[in-house]
Amino acid sequence: YLEKATLPIADPLGRTITASYLYDEQSAFIEVASASGLVLLASSERNPLRTSSFGTGQMVFHALENGIQNIFLLLGGSATNDAGMGIANALGFVFLDKNQREVLPAGQQLRHIHQILPPKQSIPENVTFTLLCDVNNPLYGPNGAARIYAKQKGATDAAILLLDEGLKNVARVIQQDFGQDVSSIPGGGAAGGIAAGLCGLLQAQLQSGFDTLAKLTRLEQAIEEADWVISGEGRLDHQSLQGKVVGGVAAFCRQFGKPLSLFTGSCQLPPSEAGTLTANPVFSILDRASGPEDAFKNAGTHLQEMARQFGQSRPFLF
């Protein structure tokens, strides 16, 4: 049985908000998006040069202060491109430039980091950090965090180049100060590079998010016993088929011959690829919204309407 901890933390732009995580006696499950997520910002506020994962670090720190030994971070939906340095900063790591001045580790500052100092109060050795993600992108480069994901977080083409440079610099400094090569870890680019940064600074371990949560929640058994399966994704695209939740759920549905319906923010899969999910129907908020702003602002209303439409088309389920 999991309980909920709720506390004031900093959002991606440093404003105080309230966020929650789930925990039991030994483990905490912290969703990066709840503290450092894109959903917390208006479209005009999105700028990974300025955003930080510090708020997520505050939740991690709270869990550690309360004796939690196993920290599970659910990576995804972040508004940041700071290589997890915001999280590390909240845990006591200090970042210095070449003049020994402290650097606040937002995306635009990463390229100025020259040295990383560990916390004065070390993290207990019995604490484990497990990062759950379902992408294989490395930290930087053509398929890295900045070049693949930063644009959807509000970055311009010029900003993407600065961010990629910063991520490369962070990898260099981590290897210099901690002896860890995080430059080519598969999945290291997840959540704006949080995965690589925490692997280097906290010896965190990457695991498949879907596989881990499916096991913890006994999802396979639940789908086997279900009459109809409903799942969803913010943006359904080709990446959804590469180890993410929707692809995994669809695989279980095919295994047990269960019908699947999807509720999405937008569907960008061509019919040929969407057919591999065997989902019917695929609802998309953007198909009914007047535009992106309406889709984000009124997502709940659109979801309710899609659910009503689904229920009316399949009354035998209810």
Side-chain angles (χ1 to χ4, degrees):
Y1 176 75
L2 296 176
E3 298 186 64
K4 180 186 287 189
T6 302
L7 63 151
I9 52 93
D11 80 351
L13 292 174
R15 301 169 299 199
T16 300
I17 61 170
T18 299
S20 303
Y21 66 88
L22 300 177
Y23 70 97
D24 59 20
E25 290 184 358
Q26 293 186 327
S27 302
F29 298 87
I30 299 172
E31 187 178 11
V32 168
S34 66
S36 309
L38 200 59
V39 69
L40 301 173
L41 304 179
S43 58
S44 60
E45 296 176 324
R46 294 172 186 168
N47 183 352
L49 289 172
R50 297 178 54 212
T51 52
S52 168
S53 59
F54 187 85
T56 298
Q58 289 177 295
M59 292 203 289
V60 173
F61 184 82
H62 183 270
L64 295 177
E65 286 284 281
N66 284 278
I68 301 297
Q69 295 181 1
N70 305 313
I71 305 294
F72 289 85
L73 276 183
L74 285 68
L75 307 184
S78 78
T80 63
N81 197 103
D82 70 352
M85 299 301 99
I87 294 174
N89 194 215
L91 298 179
F93 286 85
V94 175
F95 305 87
L96 303 176
D97 65 14
K98 62 182 180 180
N99 296 313
Q100 296 295 293
R101 294 176 300 199
E102 188 168 348
V103 175
L104 294 178
Q108 64 185 349
Q109 302 296 334
L110 297 185
R111 67 189 191 277
H112 300 305
I113 295 174
H114 184 72
Q115 184 180 9
I116 302 175
L117 303 178
K120 292 181 179 179
Q121 182 176 349
S122 60
I123 296 170
E125 291 184 1
N126 62 344
V127 171
T128 64
F129 294 89
T130 304
L131 311 178
L132 305 184
C133 79
D134 294 309
V135 301
N136 293 313
N137 306 79
L139 179 60
Y140 60 85
N143 294 310
R147 293 181 186 268
I148 299 300
Y149 299 110
K151 189 171 184 178
Q152 70 191 51
K153 301 178 184 184
T156 63
D157 290 343
I160 289 171
L161 295 177
L162 292 177
L163 291 167
D164 194 60
E165 178 188 340
L167 294 173
K168 187 174 183 179
N169 180 58
V170 165
R172 180 190 64 79
V173 178
I174 287 176
Q175 185 161 29
Q176 165 194 288
D177 292 345
F178 294 87
Q180 301 290 323
D181 182 4
V182 301
S183 61
S184 57
I185 297 173
I194 285 175
L198 298 193
C199 284
L201 299 183
L202 300 175
Q203 289 73 57
Q205 299 296 313
L206 276 166
Q207 290 185 9
S208 163
F210 177 78
D211 291 346
T212 302
L213 292 179
K215 183 177 180 180
L216 289 172
T217 60
R218 300 180 181 177
L219 179 63
E220 183 176 1
Q221 178 182 346
I223 289 178
E224 183 178 12
E225 297 173 355
D227 295 314
W228 201 288
V229 179
I230 299 172
S231 187
E233 180 104 43
R235 182 172 68 182
L236 188 66
D237 56 23
H238 70 279
Q239 294 180 29
S240 306
L241 308 178
Q242 300 174 2
K244 287 195 173 184
V245 170
V246 166
V249 169
F252 282 143
C253 288
R254 288 193 297 271
Q255 177 182 342
F256 297 114
K258 303 296 182 178
L260 170 67
S261 295
L262 298 176
F263 288 74
T264 71
S266 66
C267 179
Q268 298 183 8
L269 276 179
S272 59
E273 292 187 49
T276 64
L277 293 171
T278 63
N280 182 32
V282 176
F283 291 102
S284 167
I285 290 176
L286 273 182
D287 285 347
R288 61 181 60 241
S290 61
E293 195 68 30
D294 175 34
F296 279 102
K297 185 177 180 181
N298 300 303
T301 300
H302 291 304
L303 281 170
Q304 287 178 342
E305 178 58 25
M306 292 191 300
R308 184 189 65 79
Q309 182 181 343
F310 173 79
Q312 289 178 342
S313 66
R314 289 163 177 76
F316 59 87
L317 290 175
F318 305 94

